[in-house]
Structure formats: structure tokens, C-alpha cells
Amino acid sequence: MQAKEAADTLGISQRILRHYEKEGLMEVGRQLNGYRHYSAADLRRAARIRDFIATGFSTREIRGMVACLSDDGAGPCDDGIEKMTEKLEHIDRLLSDLTDRRAAVVDRLNSLKSDLEPRSVVAETTG
């Protein structure tokens, strides 16, 4: 399958497919005319990469889990479980931080609103 059809099948752009290759996440065969040719295994690998990126992994992080991308049939990928656990812990820390920030903004907003209320009442009564 050529790059355009592979990209369409995966729901990504050809540029993204080339990016995966440039980042060393996959090696794609070439036809005699030099065009990239994606095998079924290449599509499965690209789909795994796409899915890892969609869940927040960087290409650098994915490179550390390269064994998790192949079809070698070696069973579950131990590195993948460890890396995904680390990613989940990171997401939980970010979520906690965002929750704290949201609460601080809500408190500040409520404070600002309450500071404005007496002025509105005073302005209405003197108007």
C-alpha cells in the first residue's frame, strides 16, 4: 500500500507517517520507483504509534518502548506496562495540579464577584 492510502486508512497525514519514520519508530520498504510501500505489519505498527501519541506519549518515549510496536509475537510488552504506568502516574499528577489550579481560579473569581456586589448595590441606591 502506498503512503496516501496508508495515511487514509490510519486517519493521519502522509507527513505524520514520514515523521514516524524520521523519528526511527518504523522502517518502511520502498518500491522500485522509490515510493514507500506499507505492509499490513507497517500499518499495525503505525497504528500503535498513533495510539501511543494520542494517549500522551512523545516520540522519544515511544522509542523507549520500541519492542511494544512490533508484531514479533513475543507476548505482552513488559516495558510497555511499566511506561504506561509511569504515564498514568504523570497524568494523575497533572490532573491533581489542574484541579488545584481550577479551585484557585474559582476562589479568586468568587472573591472578585463578591467585591463588586456591594458597589453595585451602592450605585443602584444612589442613582
Side-chain angles (χ1 to χ4, degrees):
M1 175 180 305
Q2 289 189 354
K4 182 176 181 353
E5 187 179 358
D8 289 346
T9 299
L10 293 165
I12 58 177
S13 69
Q14 292 180 57
R15 185 187 65 76
I16 290 174
L17 277 175
R18 289 189 303 272
H19 177 69
Y20 294 169
E21 191 175 356
K22 179 183 171 196
E23 290 294 319
L25 298 173
M26 60 188 310
E27 291 181 27
V28 179
R30 301 278 180 152
Q31 296 177 323
L32 292 175
N33 60 8
Y35 291 155
R36 288 174 175 84
H37 177 75
Y38 293 85
S39 67
D42 293 330
L43 291 178
R44 287 189 297 274
R45 186 178 188 98
R48 289 180 188 117
I49 295 165
R50 178 202 60 205
D51 293 347
F52 276 126
I53 289 171
T55 56
F57 286 88
S58 68
T59 54
R60 180 186 51 80
E61 290 171 318
I62 296 169
R63 241 181 277 117
M65 300 186 305
V66 72
C68 301
L69 301 175
S70 70
D71 278 352
D72 291 338
C77 177
D78 291 335
D79 286 345
I81 293 170
E82 179 184 340
K83 298 293 185 186
M84 291 188 93
T85 300
E86 290 172 7
K87 180 57 78 175
L88 185 58
E89 290 168 354
H90 180 248
I91 290 169
D92 286 342
R93 284 190 304 273
L94 291 172
L95 185 58
S96 176
D97 184 47
L98 285 173
T99 300
D100 292 346
R101 289 180 188 200
R102 184 184 189 286
V105 169
V106 167
D107 287 346
R108 182 68 180 139
L109 181 61
N110 287 337
S111 175
L112 290 172
K113 284 180 178 179
S114 69
D115 287 349
L116 289 176
E117 285 176 8
R119 289 186 211 151
S120 298
V121 171
V122 170
E124 290 174 12
T125 59
T126 60

